[in-house]
């Protein structure tokens, strides 16, 4: 079984029937304007958008967060079903004990944070 996880989950979001049509149009217009240099000869517009719209995740992240709760919930539920299926196929369920047996992450203590910034000396000429 071949899994193209990154592209598939993004396309599940962009192709989801509950995604607002105006947002889908804006994403597609953005992709055509901002990624046009990546349009491969022979690709249809639909193929180009499908392959390139993953780059719209960042610019449209806030808009996606601000979608109505029922739309986000519907998309999230479908993603959960897909990932549950993938984890079942990959036989991930029930492997925690084996993972804990062999994987020993280094413990990083955050009890004593280090100073992140050091104050610069006053600059008399800067009018401070």
């Amino acid at each position: 079984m071949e899994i193209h996880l990154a592209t598939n989950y993004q396309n599940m979001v962009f192709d989801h029937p509950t995604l607002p049509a105006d947002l889908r149009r804006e994403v597609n217009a953005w992709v055509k304007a901002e990624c046009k240099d990546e349009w491969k000869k022979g690709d249809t517009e639909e193929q180009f958008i499908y392959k390139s719209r993953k780059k719209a995740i960042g610019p449209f992240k806030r808009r996606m967060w601000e979608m109505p709760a029922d739309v986000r919930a519907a998309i999230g539920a479908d993603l959960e079903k897909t990932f549950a299926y993938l984890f079942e196929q990959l036989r991930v369920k029930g492997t925690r004990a084996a993972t804990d047996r062999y994987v020993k992450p280094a413990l990083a203590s955050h009890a004593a944070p280090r100073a992140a910034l050091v104050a610069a000396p006053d600059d008399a000429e800067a009018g401070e």
Side-chain angles (χ1 to χ4, degrees), residues 9-16 19-20 23-24 26-28 53-73 75 79:
Y9 92 83
Q10 292 162 358
N11 284 317
M12 285 180 62
V13 172
F14 288 127
D15 288 335
H16 201 275
L19 186 77
L23 179 57
R24 182 177 289 113
E26 285 182 51
V27 166
N28 291 348
R53 63 187 171 182
K54 62 184 168 235
K55 295 180 178 164
I57 292 277
F60 287 89
K61 189 177 287 188
R62 178 163 301 282
R63 291 278 308 279
M64 291 187 176
W65 286 340
E66 293 171 349
M67 288 188 299
D70 60 325
V71 172
R72 290 191 327 268
I75 293 170
L79 287 169

Side-chain angles (χ1 to χ4, degrees), residues 1 3 83-96 98-99:
M1 172 173 57
I3 301 172
F83 280 101
Y85 170 77
L86 289 172
F87 291 155
E88 181 181 310
Q89 296 301 306
L90 295 168
R91 294 185 171 89
V92 173
K93 189 173 182 175
T95 60
R96 179 62 187 248
T99 302

Side-chain angles (χ1 to χ4, degrees), residues 24 39 48 51 59 66 73 76 90 94-95 102-103 114 126:
R24 182 177 289 113
W39 197 327
F48 164 67
K51 291 177 186 178
E66 293 171 349
L90 295 168
T95 60
Y102 295 105
V103 178
R114 295 173 292 182

